[in-house]
Amino acid sequence: MYSFNRRCISFLLLVPAVWRADAADFDPLQYVDQLIGSRAGGNVFPGATLPYGMAKAVADTNSGSNQGGFTLDGTPILGFSALHDSGTGGEPSLGNFPLFPYAACPGDDINLCVYPKKTRVAFGAFDSKSVVARPGFFSVTLNTGVKAEMTAAQRTALFRFTFPTATNGAHPLLLQDLSDLHDSRQDNGSVSVDPTTGRIKGQGVFVSSFSQGQYTSYFCTDFSGSKIFDNGIFANSRASANVKNLTVSRSINGYPLPGGAFVRFESPEKPVTARVGLSFISSDQACSNAEEEIPDFDFDAVQSAATTAWREKLSPITVSTGGGVDPDQIKNFYSGIYRTMVNPQNYTGENPNWETGEPYFDSFYCLWDSFRSQIPFLTVLDPSSVEQMIRSLIETYKHEGWLPDCHMSFSKGYTQVVNLLAVFDGYLKGLAGGIDWDVGYEAVVKDAEVEPFDWCCHGRGGIDSWKSLGYIPVQDFDYKGFGTLTRSLSRTLEYSYNDFTIAQMAKAMNKTTDAEKYLDSSNNWKNLYKENQTSSLFSGANTGFVGFFQPKYLNGTWGSQNPLKCSNIDNTGSVCSLQNTGAETFESSIWEYGFYVPHDQGSLVTLYGGPSNFVKRLDYLHDQNITYIGNEPAFLTVFQYHYAGRPGLSAKRSHFYIPRFFDTTPEGLPGNDDSGAMGSFVAFSMMGLFPNPGQDVYLITPPFFESVNITSPVTGKTATIRAINFDPTYAAIYIQSATLDGKPYTKNWIDHSFFTEGKELVLTLGKNESSWGTAVKDLPPSVGEYVGFNGTAVSRRIVPPNLRYPLEFRRPGLGFGQV
Ligand SMILES: *[C@@H]1O[C@H](CO)[C@@H](O)[C@H](O)[C@H]1NC(C)=O
Ligand SMILES: *[C@@H]1O[C@H](CO)[C@@H](O)[C@H](O)[C@H]1NC(C)=O
Ligand SMILES: *[C@@H]1O[C@H](CO)[C@@H](O)[C@H](O)[C@H]1NC(C)=O
Ligand SMILES: *[C@@H]1O[C@H](CO)[C@@H](O)[C@H](O)[C@H]1NC(C)=O
Ligand SMILES: *[C@@H]1O[C@H](CO)[C@@H](O)[C@H](O)[C@H]1NC(C)=O
Ligand SMILES: *[C@@H]1O[C@H](CO)[C@@H](O)[C@H](O)[C@H]1NC(C)=O
Ligand SMILES: *[C@@H]1O[C@H](CO)[C@@H](O)[C@H](O)[C@H]1NC(C)=O
Ligand SMILES: *[C@@H]1O[C@H](CO)[C@@H](O)[C@H](O)[C@H]1NC(C)=O
Ligand SMILES: *[C@@H]1O[C@H](CO)[C@@H](O)[C@H](O)[C@H]1NC(C)=O
Ligand SMILES: *[C@@H]1O[C@H](CO)[C@@H](O)[C@H](O)[C@H]1NC(C)=O
């Protein structure tokens, strides 16, 4: 009924006042479900936090998949802690200093309460129906009857424990221990409790989860509500109210010794509010953070401030709820957006390694995942935060000498590959906000030019070979720097693209010589293309496709890697990550990396035998499950049909994956959310514009909604995407024609000015593919030419506004035959 009204009004162009009231009523937060991805490996953080907040409060479960703290997989609760990452794989991060509540100790004897994490988990069972998760809020009731609610400020979490009154007369107990999720505490964690106020302070040294580093974290916990009855410390399974300080050694048999403090309260009648201040500088700073942020323990006020902060972040984007669209799709969309702002985390003022007044963000986990769509999404929706992240990365470069790929808990993590600021495309999209782009440029050039002694965690390896041979050889001879000598093929492809993005940045900065140089080396991917390489399935059947990338030795002889090795259908036990025995492709196959030439799809289409063969190959990649949408290299392949002049097939493919692989259930993610990377894939796909990251290009598909409005936080202008003939069953997902600001628009892509200048894109949809967006002139930019398209006997190269490469910039053919 409401939607019917909306539609009539939009056609009749009636009173705008109605619209304003309507837009004001729209609350995106009602569509956020934080529990999506809390089961089956999504590893999301579903608890209470502010956007990019450092304090992240949630219940931690005893799950093998508790990287984000809480899971809905039936495992019981270990404690309630306030530092977390979201969606990561590998070892769980953070989860330091959990609290645990007891309504009473048996016989009121503190020694009969259970302290160690491993055993107290027996008291951590809960009914999943009791779980409530909303932006800025999380709550669960333990089967013991204790209800735990939590909310968060920037660096302080607030927990409210309500005890069953049946325990009248007993003294409820809260313990706080020195553990973390990963059980990584090193020597001499310490805790103290103030006998009068019950204030607990402490610190511990822990291991960062995907790096070689360690970090020290600190806390300061104060209580409000019921009066303090007594307090003390515990070590292992025993406690005493006579001892107020504890310093504890690392471990016995590899498991950190349980140790912490406890506080008991006069009566269970009043809830107890525990305010946990956090810091990476000192426990005094943890106390002052808490005192500043939550001076009066007002749970409702903190929760309401968090809700407001989230509403502000999500409100620049509104979608039509009309047209018969399934509300679940709206939930999918906003929940995805929500997750893009949980990580990275704003640790400004908490960096123990330098304090320069610049913003400091951490939990880039990893940029290899997030550069593809998460950072580009935030560049649209929250550019000022991306500006702060870039400033933080540049400051990290200044202090650590290199840009990181992964960075968490103040340590640089293991480099997967892509690690360039330039792929952030923020320069091209006009991000400024105090970013020193000259230093940014210096950093990306250093990455390309200077080989670090240890390139485990920053920079590139094999730079001599790269320069002399034009590829990274398998089993490289490299005596200048050291790292895992694997991934030679994926590194070649990724370094090529990285060089392209440097060229683009150089060009925009008028550094013409550099632009030529890096554009030249951005062609290096061609050196690993073996035109007669075939590919057979593991069953032995030939896929019928010829021409694949292959590894190459130093002496120029081809190496060999099955193009399906490390694909989603490889069940042969291949080693595909950062192990010494890893493959020549990282976390992915040659089949999939075979499309990773984001800057030169024209040449790639030609190599693969022209557009229709390119489409066949892309279809085969998806239909045979060679790629898996649960890992980030798959993202762009969903939309690469655009480059073959078949934008309709990109739309079809995105509907193949959403909601089939992305839905609103707790198991609704196909893999780790990876700090919100999956969330951003959903958000951009459903919005109908998908970025080719590193370029000022968004590929156009119909949105999953009748209309989408995005207000640029920079200019205040509102961009609109509107579908005519919107079909909520998604049978009509093919663009028949389009207008941009009222004028016919045939290009199948659009640039960032769409958002900043608040343009209007109107798409007329139909049930069949059309000729819209299929002509060579409609295709997105490419370094090499598009040939073999209908009506293009003589090929032409697209020269987009931001890529005005004079012809002489292009190196003539590198000696491979055209197919
Ligand atoms: C931990 O404390 C003990 C006792 O004071 C001391 O001997 C040891 O060196 C300390 N360990 C570390 C890593 O600081
Ligand atoms: C216990 O810790 C507090 C706070 O850290 C400190 O002020 C006090 O001196 C310590 N007491 C002992 C006996 O170490
Ligand atoms: C988008 O903005 C236009 C113009 O202000 C308005 O008419 C329309 O209702 C908005 N649509 C949505 C989905 O918010
Ligand atoms: C990060 O934290 C600093 C210090 O509290 C604050 O000034 C800044 O606005 C925050 N940035 C974001 C994006 O939240
Ligand atoms: C590059 O040169 C053009 C033309 O001279 C000028 O308009 C532009 O501002 C320059 N850009 C930079 C970053 O210096
Ligand atoms: C494939 O091409 C290479 C040259 O690139 C050649 O040496 C090799 O013999 C060819 N292999 C087959 C099976 O044709
Ligand atoms: C090149 O090196 C590889 C690996 O060491 C070796 O197998 C191959 O025989 C060499 N080719 C030539 C032509 O020397
Ligand atoms: C691909 O995987 C899906 C399950 O996700 C399955 O239904 C389908 O049969 C698989 N296709 C092939 C060709 O194996
Ligand atoms: C759409 O395609 C189907 C077959 O795929 C065809 O039967 C139908 O006539 C087409 N509709 C239009 C309007 O071209
Ligand atoms: C070119 O036209 C032919 C015949 O009309 C058609 O089969 C083919 O799919 C078209 N190719 C492209 C890339 O549009």
Side-chain angles (χ1 to χ4, degrees):
M1 160 100 186
Y2 207 42
S3 59
F4 173 76
N5 280 342
R6 294 171 69 101
R7 194 185 250 170
C8 288
I9 290 162
S10 91
F11 285 147
L12 299 173
L13 296 170
L14 282 183
V15 263
V18 177
W19 281 115
R20 275 192 222 110
D22 188 33
D25 287 349
F26 180 82
D27 184 3
L29 297 195
Q30 69 182 296
Y31 293 107
V32 173
D33 184 346
Q34 286 141 250
L35 295 169
I36 295 172
S38 62
R39 187 152 67 212
N43 296 359
V44 300
F45 167 77
T49 182
L50 287 174
Y52 317 110
M54 180 168 119
K56 296 198 183 314
V58 83
D60 296 321
T61 56
N62 190 27
S63 167
S65 187
N66 66 357
Q67 282 83 349
F70 182 76
T71 54
L72 267 180
D73 55 9
T75 53
I77 290 168
L78 296 162
F80 298 87
S81 71
L83 289 168
H84 288 94
D85 271 312
S86 187
T88 61
E91 301 295 349
S93 326
L94 304 167
N96 322 62
F97 313 127
L99 293 157
F100 197 84
Y102 288 107
C105 298
D108 219 18
D109 176 352
I110 50 170
N111 269 310
L112 296 180
C113 264
V114 177
Y115 297 89
K117 200 162 78 170
K118 278 185 169 173
T119 40
R120 73 181 182 232
V121 71
F123 300 86
F126 65 98
D127 182 349
S128 63
K129 287 200 272 307
S130 74
V131 174
V132 179
R134 286 195 294 264
F137 179 78
F138 184 91
S139 157
V140 60
T141 302
L142 298 173
N143 290 355
T144 60
V146 182
K147 180 179 187 183
E149 297 164 286
M150 54 219 77
T151 184
Q154 181 62 28
R155 298 168 225 180
T156 313
L158 200 59
F159 296 86
R160 182 163 63 195
F161 296 99
T162 307
F163 300 99
T165 42
T167 52
N168 235 338
H171 300 110
L173 178 145
L174 280 181
L175 67 87
Q176 186 163 26
D177 78 17
L178 293 171
S179 71
D180 66 332
L181 276 171
H182 182 21
D183 292 321
S184 74
R185 195 189 68 236
Q186 304 295 298
D187 245 358
N188 298 357
S190 66
V191 66
S192 67
V193 56
D194 183 291
T196 317
T197 63
R199 167 175 277 190
I200 305 175
K201 289 162 75 172
Q203 59 84 31
V205 176
F206 302 91
V207 176
S208 155
S209 64
F210 193 60
S211 88
Q212 298 168 337
Q214 297 185 348
Y215 65 96
T216 309
S217 58
Y218 303 86
F219 70 97
C220 173
T221 302
D222 292 293
F223 303 94
S224 164
S226 191
K227 276 210 189 84
I228 308 280
F229 175 68
D230 65 359
N231 53 49
I233 60 100
F234 70 88
N236 260 317
S237 59
R238 292 290 168 249
S240 167
N242 297 323
V243 185
K244 308 294 183 185
N245 293 31
L246 171 75
T247 297
V248 62
S249 107
R250 187 163 88 94
S251 68
I252 288 170
N253 297 335
Y255 187 78
L257 277 166
F262 72 88
V263 174
R264 284 201 297 174
F265 301 91
E266 285 285 358
S267 106
E269 275 148 43
K270 279 202 205 152
V272 171
T273 307
R275 181 185 72 186
V276 181
L278 302 159
S279 176
F280 294 100
I281 301 286
S282 66
S283 39
D284 287 341
Q285 182 151 325
C287 297
S288 59
N289 285 343
E291 285 158 2
E292 268 165 40
E293 293 181 351
I294 310 183
D296 49 11
F297 293 80
D298 185 341
F299 192 96
D300 294 343
V302 175
Q303 186 189 338
S304 150
T307 307
T308 303
W310 277 110
R311 189 172 285 126
E312 265 170 30
K313 286 294 184 197
L314 267 50
S315 59
I317 186 158
T318 58
V319 300
S320 163
T321 55
V325 72
D326 180 352
D328 243 21
Q329 298 290 8
I330 306 177
K331 196 192 260 189
N332 217 357
F333 181 68
Y334 279 106
S335 303
I337 296 176
Y338 170 87
R339 296 199 307 276
T340 65
M341 301 190 202
V342 173
N343 263 15
Q345 303 183 23
N346 187 355
Y347 287 1
T348 305
E350 291 295 337
N351 180 357
N353 300 323
W354 62 84
E355 175 54 66
T356 56
E358 278 296 281
Y360 182 77
F361 278 68
D362 214 319
S363 289
F364 290 106
Y365 204 161
C366 296
L367 293 171
W368 185 84
D369 300 299
S370 55
F371 91 92
R372 297 169 204 267
S373 55
Q374 181 179 359
I375 304 289
F377 186 78
L378 297 175
T379 301
V380 172
L381 200 64
D382 195 8
S384 69
S385 295
V386 179
E387 283 166 357
Q388 293 179 32
M389 290 172 205
I390 291 177
R391 282 168 61 179
S392 168
L393 287 168
I394 290 176
E395 202 63 14
T396 301
Y397 158 74
K398 285 195 200 158
H399 291 268
E400 297 183 350
W402 304 88
L403 289 169
D405 173 25
C406 303
H407 210 276
M408 73 287 301
S409 312
F410 307 99
S411 300
K412 38 192 177 229
Y414 300 109
T415 294
Q416 305 193 92
V417 178
V418 174
N419 54 357
L420 275 187
L421 201 58
V423 297
F424 267 24
D425 60 39
Y427 187 78
L428 302 175
K429 292 176 181 171
L431 294 189
I435 301 172
D436 189 338
W437 280 114
D438 289 329
V439 180
Y441 183 74
E442 176 191 307
V444 298
V445 167
K446 180 174 180 188
D447 194 280
E449 297 296 328
V450 183
E451 179 160 333
F453 183 67
D454 181 353
W455 44 272
C456 73
C457 307
H458 52 227
R460 302 184 188 182
I463 286 185
D464 280 358
S465 295
W466 177 252
K467 294 204 178 284
S468 62
L469 301 171
Y471 60 93
I472 298 295
V474 67
Q475 291 167 27
D476 195 10
F477 172 62
D478 187 355
Y479 61 96
K480 292 187 174 162
F482 301 90
T484 311
L485 285 177
T486 57
R487 303 160 288 148
S488 65
L489 200 155
S490 50
R491 281 163 58 212
T492 299
L493 293 170
E494 299 203 14
Y495 295 171
S496 298
Y497 189 50
N498 287 358
D499 281 1
F500 171 78
T501 61
I502 301 175
Q504 213 179 199
M505 204 172 164
K507 183 79 186 125
M509 291 178 149
N510 295 334
K511 299 175 194 291
T512 314
T513 315
D514 278 11
E516 284 182 37
K517 171 178 161 184
Y518 291 111
L519 186 65
D520 195 41
S521 53
S522 82
N523 282 302
N524 281 352
W525 62 274
K526 293 173 180 169
N527 296 328
L528 293 189
Y529 183 73
K530 192 176 173 204
E531 61 188 357
N532 61 4
Q533 177 65 43
T534 57
S535 164
S536 293
L537 297 171
F538 293 98
S539 66
N542 195 323
T543 62
F545 293 90
V546 184
F548 289 89
F549 292 115
Q550 282 292 288
K552 205 184 254 182
Y553 289 105
L554 269 161
N555 60 12
T557 300
W558 288 110
S560 167
Q561 178 173 312
N562 181 341
L564 287 168
K565 186 183 174 80
C566 297
S567 71
N568 183 48
I569 56 171
D570 177 358
N571 297 318
T572 67
S574 294
V575 176
C576 305
S577 189
L578 294 173
Q579 302 90 335
N580 288 330
T581 53
E584 299 310 322
T585 43
F586 179 71
E587 278 193 4
S588 175
S589 62
I590 289 174
W591 256 92
E592 183 164 71
Y593 265 105
F595 291 93
Y596 191 73
V597 187
H599 53 308
D600 198 356
Q601 293 286 290
S603 299
L604 193 70
V605 168
T606 306
L607 278 182
Y608 286 169
S612 62
N613 286 329
F614 184 88
V615 165
K616 276 189 203 134
R617 198 183 275 235
L618 210 39
D619 276 344
Y620 197 86
L621 175 85
H622 291 287
D623 291 337
Q624 299 301 315
N625 297 331
I626 293 170
T627 183
Y628 183 64
I629 200 66
N631 204 12
E632 287 72 12
F635 286 4
L636 191 60
T637 66
V638 173
F639 298 92
Q640 273 172 273
Y641 296 97
H642 272 69
Y643 290 90
R646 300 288 296 278
L649 297 183
S650 299
K652 193 175 162 197
R653 194 56 73 182
S654 77
H655 284 278
F656 171 81
Y657 284 116
I658 303 172
R660 194 156 159 242
F661 288 81
F662 298 87
D663 65 34
T664 55
T665 64
E667 53 277 307
L669 293 183
N672 307 152
D673 194 40
D674 287 327
S675 290
M678 294 288 148
S680 65
F681 175 78
V682 170
F684 261 137
S685 301
M686 296 187 89
M687 194 165 110
L689 294 174
F690 202 85
N692 185 337
Q695 300 170 44
D696 188 1
V697 170
Y698 300 88
L699 307 170
I700 301 170
T701 50
F704 282 50
F705 314 100
E706 196 166 20
S707 70
V708 182
N709 282 357
I710 312 106
T711 302
S712 164
V714 178
T715 61
K717 293 182 182 167
T718 297
T720 297
I721 311 163
R722 198 152 54 78
I724 294 175
N725 303 335
F726 175 73
D727 169 11
T729 70
Y730 304 121
I733 51 164
Y734 300 106
I735 298 170
Q736 309 295 304
S737 63
T739 60
L740 183 66
D741 285 342
K743 296 197 195 83
Y745 191 76
T746 62
K747 286 188 170 59
N748 67 27
W749 63 284
I750 205 159
D751 67 28
H752 193 65
S753 68
F754 173 72
F755 296 107
T756 51
E757 289 171 20
K759 298 179 184 174
E760 187 193 34
L761 183 63
V762 179
L763 308 172
T764 301
L765 307 183
K767 292 189 173 164
N768 288 0
E769 275 189 271
S770 77
S771 63
W772 177 86
T774 61
V776 168
K777 66 176 172 41
D778 302 329
L779 307 183
S782 163
V783 172
E785 306 167 54
Y786 289 103
V787 296
F789 284 72
N790 284 350
T792 55
V794 178
S795 59
R796 54 160 301 199
R797 188 152 44 91
I798 300 302
V799 183
N802 61 321
L803 275 181
R804 269 182 250 282
Y805 291 120
L807 274 171
E808 64 271 20
F809 267 29
R810 282 190 65 231
R811 184 153 63 164
L814 284 170
F816 58 85
Q818 294 211 330
V819 183

